[in-house]
């Protein structure tokens, strides 16, 4: 799996464009904003974008989705439907986070735990990882041993749980059962900050070891 990382919005959210090296088909994961920057990369590299994938409904991860969907003529897929209230609340989120006004929109398709998203020859396993938000999902691609985790897990940290319907105990359980069960060498691509690995976080993440939180 080929990955292009494009930090967007003042929150420096890691939008990822993932591509199947065999077919050239691509998906944009969590396009949080800066649609002109994203379109520029897509057009400059002549990328064949087939879909937009969302890990959860926070505005810094979904903000450019609808415009990008209309511009490219592709569907928005994910997250899990328990995040619908965050999409209903996009106008409020824009005010809360200091973004430009943003209307509500909804994905073309919700995802469920155990779904498989096919992208060319790639098969992305969908794992429901609630806690940061109730409908948060992650995308695991076993061939490249890579998991795109949104705001569930970061290098040395975990996602915030002080937003509406956040749940710290549930987030920890999601990480333990859905991420820490992956091979240690699995590359973790987070929504903010640098990449890490499952093994590194198992050994060093203070929020999971009990040293913090």
């Amino acid at each position: 799996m080929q990955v292009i990382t494009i930090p967007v919005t003042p929150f420096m959210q890691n939008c990822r464009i993932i591509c199947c090296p065999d077919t050239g088909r691509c998906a944009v994961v969590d396009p949080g904003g800066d649609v002109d920057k994203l379109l520029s990369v897509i057009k400059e590299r002549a990328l064949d974008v087939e879909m937009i994938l969302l890990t959860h409904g926070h505005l810094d991860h979904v903000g450019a989705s609808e415009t990008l969907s209309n511009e490219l003529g592709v569907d928005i897929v994910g997250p899990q439907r328990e995040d619908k209230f965050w999409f209903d609340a996009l106008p409020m989120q824009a005010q809360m986070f200091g973004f430009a006004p943003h209307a509500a929109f909804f994905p073309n398709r919700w995802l469920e735990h155990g779904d498989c998203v096919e992208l060319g020859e790639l098969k992305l396993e969908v794992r429901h990882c609630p806690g940061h938000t109730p409908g948060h999902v992650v995308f695991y691609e076993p061939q490249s041993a890579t998991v795109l985790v949104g705001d569930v897990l970061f290098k040395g940290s975990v996602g915030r749980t002080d937003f509406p319907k956040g749940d710290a105990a549930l987030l920890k359980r999601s990480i333990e059962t859905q991420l820490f069960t992956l091979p240690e060498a699995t590359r973790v691509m987070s929504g903010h900050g640098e990449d890490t690995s499952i093994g590194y976080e198992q050994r060093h993440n203070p929020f999971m070891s009990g040293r913090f939180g």
Side-chain angles (χ1 to χ4, degrees):
M1 183 172 72
Q2 298 168 335
V3 183
I4 302 165
T5 300
I6 308 167
V8 296
T9 82
F11 291 92
M12 296 301 287
Q13 194 277 123
N14 290 323
C15 174
R16 316 277 187 172
I17 301 177
I18 60 174
C19 301
C20 170
D22 296 324
T23 65
R25 294 179 179 176
C26 304
V28 182
V29 183
D30 285 357
D34 299 336
V35 68
D36 291 340
K37 180 193 290 189
L38 299 177
L39 285 171
S40 176
V41 172
I42 291 166
K43 291 174 181 177
E44 180 182 305
R45 303 195 186 198
L47 300 177
D48 180 16
V49 175
E50 194 170 274
M51 68 185 79
I52 295 165
L53 297 173
L54 302 180
T55 62
H56 65 294
H58 284 163
L59 183 57
D60 62 320
H61 288 253
V62 310
S65 300
E66 189 174 34
T67 302
L68 207 57
S69 170
N70 293 335
E71 186 75 22
L72 300 174
V74 300
D75 283 352
I76 301 169
V77 180
Q80 198 267 355
R81 67 181 63 251
E82 288 296 319
D83 262 21
K84 181 181 180 294
F85 80 101
W86 278 118
F87 290 84
D88 285 317
L90 282 168
M92 177 273 292
Q93 287 196 61
Q95 290 186 327
M96 184 169 70
F97 294 128
F99 281 68
H102 200 295
F105 74 91
F106 302 97
N108 299 98
R109 176 161 66 101
W110 300 105
L111 292 171
E112 296 296 339
H113 181 80
D115 284 349
C116 179
V117 176
E118 296 189 7
L119 184 67
E121 298 299 316
L122 301 177
K123 296 186 188 307
L124 304 170
E125 298 178 9
V126 177
R127 297 185 173 212
H128 184 208
C129 290
H132 177 63
T133 70
H136 201 303
V137 297
V138 304
F139 300 100
Y140 173 54
E141 204 288 295
Q143 283 187 309
S144 61
T146 300
V147 60
L148 295 102
V149 299
D151 286 356
V152 171
L153 182 66
F154 304 107
K155 186 170 184 179
S157 189
V158 298
R160 290 175 60 175
T161 56
D162 57 339
F163 292 124
K165 298 189 181 182
D167 186 322
L170 184 56
L171 178 66
K172 185 172 183 179
R173 192 178 320 132
S174 293
I175 294 169
E176 289 173 340
T177 61
Q178 302 304 324
L179 296 180
F180 281 4
T181 52
L182 297 174
E184 286 191 15
T186 302
R187 177 173 54 162
V188 175
M189 306 192 84
S190 303
H192 304 266
E194 61 186 300
D195 295 348
T196 182
S197 72
I198 292 297
Y200 182 90
E201 298 312 312
Q202 287 173 325
R203 290 186 293 273
H204 302 291
N205 192 303
F207 293 89
M208 296 305 296
S209 68
R211 281 178 282 164
F212 292 164

